[in-house]
Amino acid sequence: MVVMSHPVALDHCSLIKTCKPTSVFTGIPVIDLRDPKAKTLIVKACEEYGFFKLVNHGVPMEFMTRLEAEALRFFNLPQSEKDKAGPPDPFGYGSKRIGSNGDVGWIEYLLLNTNPQVTSLRTLTVFRENPEIFRSAVNDYILAVKRMAFEVLELMADGLKIEPRNVLSRLLRDEKSDSCFRLNHYPPCPELQALSGRNLIGFGEHTDPQIISVLRSNNTSGLQICLRDGTWVAVPPDQTSFFINVGDALQVMTNGRLRSVWHRVLADSLKSRVSMIYFGGPPLSEKIAPLASLIARGEESLYKEFTWREYKTSAYKSRLADYRLGAFEKTASAGQ
């Protein structure tokens, strides 16, 4: 559903980049999770695009709409109330600033930990208003999406012919999995659109560092992906489906066979966009390296081995648009 939100103060706008709208891409792979050919289609989509739309996924629509309503209830609170849940530590409420290295966007967000063993004071503040309702909506949604993500990764392993089939999903199932959940709100901004005829960047171009990202949004457009030829295209929204992104860690584990997708979000001039993303990451101590079974005879590993903690630390020191994997490629070290 689309909800008109309260106006947001235009601070930092001079720092936020703009972008011309791009053409809508109708070639996004659509995969039915119950299709007997799903394992093959998932691998093909991740090789060609690093991205696909998932339908017949088994997550109740009620979970999506209930969480969206609760998220909007929070984002429509007075700014002074929202600010009590921030600044992010990294969990909690943030506005305009993305990370600590100068990236900004036309966005406000909530970042939540999916590991119940880790408690953030900021997160507790988020749930202060309607604790039972909001927390329940978040927990129900995350539990259902996790189940679906595990199944996607196991089908992917089947399609890649790697064993055991839980070699990827076990990293997310692990009780120490370093996964997180993000609720993004991109308010409408008619004032700036009228001045420039361009769209404000809501979230700048980047790849996701984790293994897999599971995105669901309302029916407001804005998501764009970069195709292999460098062309940016708009992804048609679909509030009933999920979009799956290959992350950097999965690119490394498949030795570049599956590639993380560059993507960004543009703000709309009239309608707010609400998105919810589960980022499935491995435990911090997990060693990330190409799986031996995916390195063909005579082929070499393209990446140095590293722990997820090392990569995450490096990624958080970088700007959004930086090619974060560059420092972990073997060719990079050979040329220095």
Side-chain angles (χ1 to χ4, degrees), residues 303-317:
Y303 304 95
K304 296 177 273 188
E305 182 179 274
F306 52 86
T307 65
W308 169 240
R309 186 192 301 276
E310 289 170 336
Y311 188 63
K312 182 179 176 181
T313 300
S314 173
Y316 276 55
K317 289 178 181 176

Side-chain angles (χ1 to χ4, degrees), residues 83-94 109-128 135 178-181:
D83 286 341
K84 291 176 182 176
D89 65 357
F91 303 107
Y93 172 76
Y109 64 89
L110 283 171
L111 185 63
L112 306 174
N113 196 328
T114 63
N115 187 341
Q117 296 176 337
V118 179
T119 302
S120 162
L121 293 177
R122 298 282 188 258
T123 301
L124 294 176
T125 307
V126 169
F127 293 126
R128 193 187 62 233
R135 189 188 293 271
D178 184 43
S179 298
C180 59
F181 181 62

Side-chain angles (χ1 to χ4, degrees), residues 84-291:
K84 291 176 182 176
D89 65 357
F91 303 107
Y93 172 76
S95 177
K96 307 292 192 306
R97 293 185 177 87
I98 302 170
S100 56
N101 301 307
D103 290 298
V104 292
W106 190 249
I107 185 177
E108 56 179 346
Y109 64 89
L110 283 171
L111 185 63
L112 306 174
N113 196 328
T114 63
N115 187 341
Q117 296 176 337
V118 179
T119 302
S120 162
L121 293 177
R122 298 282 188 258
T123 301
L124 294 176
T125 307
V126 169
F127 293 126
R128 193 187 62 233
E129 288 296 316
N130 290 299
E132 297 83 9
I133 300 173
F134 199 175
R135 189 188 293 271
S136 169
V138 168
N139 289 344
D140 287 348
Y141 179 88
I142 289 177
L143 193 61
V145 166
K146 275 184 176 180
R147 259 192 227 111
M148 178 191 68
F150 301 157
E151 189 172 356
V152 167
L153 288 173
E154 285 163 11
L155 285 169
M156 189 182 291
D158 290 342
L160 290 166
K161 297 181 173 59
I162 51 179
E163 292 183 348
R165 73 189 302 259
N166 72 341
V167 69
L168 301 172
S169 65
R170 69 174 179 82
L171 301 175
L172 275 57
R173 290 182 188 271
D174 194 301
E175 63 178 15
K176 294 182 180 178
S177 163
D178 184 43
S179 298
C180 59
F181 181 62
R182 190 176 177 111
L183 290 162
N184 288 335
H185 179 227
Y186 303 92
C189 190
E191 300 92 342
L192 289 178
Q193 252 72 46
L195 288 174
S196 63
R198 294 161 67 92
N199 287 81
L200 268 184
I201 297 285
F203 208 113
E205 62 185 79
H206 65 287
T207 59
D208 295 334
Q210 291 86 356
I211 293 172
I212 192 175
S213 308
V214 181
L215 163 75
R216 184 264 171 187
S217 77
N218 64 358
N219 264 350
T220 300
S221 60
L223 176 64
Q224 298 186 343
I225 63 169
C226 186
L227 303 180
R228 292 286 183 259
D229 64 2
T231 305
W232 283 94
V233 294
V235 177
D238 181 351
Q239 63 183 3
T240 67
S241 303
F242 288 92
F243 292 95
I244 310 294
N245 291 4
V246 170
D248 294 343
L250 185 55
Q251 176 171 323
V252 172
M253 294 178 76
T254 60
N255 206 34
R257 181 171 169 184
L258 311 186
R259 299 190 67 83
S260 53
V261 62
W262 286 89
H263 55 289
R264 65 189 180 193
V265 176
L266 305 189
D268 193 276
S269 59
L270 299 175
K271 297 180 292 187
S272 67
R273 175 180 165 88
V274 179
S275 62
M276 40 195 81
I277 311 101
Y278 165 70
F279 297 96
L284 288 169
S285 60
E286 185 71 28
K287 291 179 179 177
I288 306 297
L291 297 169

